[in-house]
């Protein structure tokens, strides 16, 4: 069965599905590159050539979760890494991984890991383990930019 898609040549259903998968994958790759920045799902959807709601349905069909769920999970995984290795406060980790609210971060973290960020750190950092100093961790992760964005919001409020 052939399905007509923008253009003079008929395209098979398999080709149309492959094109959809390719567009969703490109959008996911963009989210993977910019996970710590504020991401607007509608803008990602538009870039992939979909409406916001069609993109969410297509993403869920391919990856088994919504783009928001995927992005939250990605951010929590990075937070787990920082909590295990860097001498940063929970608030600093929250901002570094792209959450704008400490409450949302803590709730999401507990949902995914089963522990609060503080409990997670206590369980996974061994006694006497040397953590990377916070200033180095901030430099490495581009954290000063994240804190500048947050400070700019506070000034404009």
């Amino acid at each position: 069965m052939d399905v007509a898609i923008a253009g003079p040549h008929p395209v098979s259903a398999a080709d149309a599905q492959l094109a959809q998968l390719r567009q969703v994958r490109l959008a996911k790759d963009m989210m993977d590159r910019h996970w710590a920045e504020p991401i607007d799902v509608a803008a990602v959807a538009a870039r992939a050539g979909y409406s916001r709601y069609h993109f969410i349905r297509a993403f869920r069909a391919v990856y088994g979760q919504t783009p928001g769920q995927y992005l939250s999970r990605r951010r929590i995984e990075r937070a787990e890494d920082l909590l295990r290795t860097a001498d940063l406060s929970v608030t600093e980790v929250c901002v570094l991984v792209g959450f704008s609210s400490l409450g949302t971060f803590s709730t999401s973290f507990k949902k995914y890991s089963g522990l609060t960020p503080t409990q997670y750190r206590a369980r996974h950092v061994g006694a006497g383990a040397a953590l990377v100093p916070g200033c180095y961790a901030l430099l490495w992760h581009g954290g000063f930019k994240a804190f500048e964005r947050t400070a700019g919001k506070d000034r404009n409020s």
Side-chain angles (χ1 to χ4, degrees):
M1 176 172 110
D2 286 341
V3 178
I5 295 186
H9 305 293
V11 177
S12 71
D15 288 342
Q17 186 177 19
L18 185 60
Q20 176 184 0
L21 288 172
R22 202 174 287 125
Q23 289 304 106
V24 171
R25 174 59 191 218
L26 289 172
K28 179 184 171 286
D29 289 346
M30 188 179 98
M31 292 169 60
D32 285 339
R33 281 190 305 278
H34 302 285
W35 57 267
E37 300 171 14
I39 294 180
D40 178 25
V41 174
V44 174
R47 191 158 188 192
Y50 293 109
S51 71
R52 180 178 192 268
Y53 298 105
H54 186 71
F55 174 69
I56 291 170
R57 282 192 303 273
F59 194 97
R60 184 190 300 250
V62 173
Y63 294 107
Q65 56 190 338
T66 67
Q69 291 167 334
Y70 173 78
L71 191 58
S72 286
R73 181 68 192 153
R74 182 106 164 94
R75 289 173 172 169
I76 295 301
E77 288 168 354
R78 291 300 301 137
E80 288 173 341
D81 183 47
L82 287 171
L83 288 167
R84 283 190 312 267
T85 61
D87 187 22
L88 296 168
S89 71
V90 171
T91 302
E92 289 168 328
V93 170
C94 166
V95 171
L96 275 177
V97 299
F99 281 90
S100 57
S101 161
L102 184 58
T104 301
F105 169 68
S106 295
T107 301
S108 297
F109 193 95
K110 186 164 185 172
K111 176 182 166 189
Y112 284 110
S113 71
L115 302 168
T116 66
T118 304
Q119 291 168 335
Y120 183 88
R121 173 175 274 157
R123 179 173 289 176
H124 290 90
V125 174
L131 296 174
V132 174
C135 57
Y136 289 112
L138 285 171
L139 283 171
W140 180 257
H141 290 281
F144 292 111
K145 292 179 208 165
F147 285 104
E148 288 170 5
R149 282 195 307 266
T150 304
K153 284 183 195 175
D154 293 342
R155 277 187 244 129
N156 295 332
S157 298

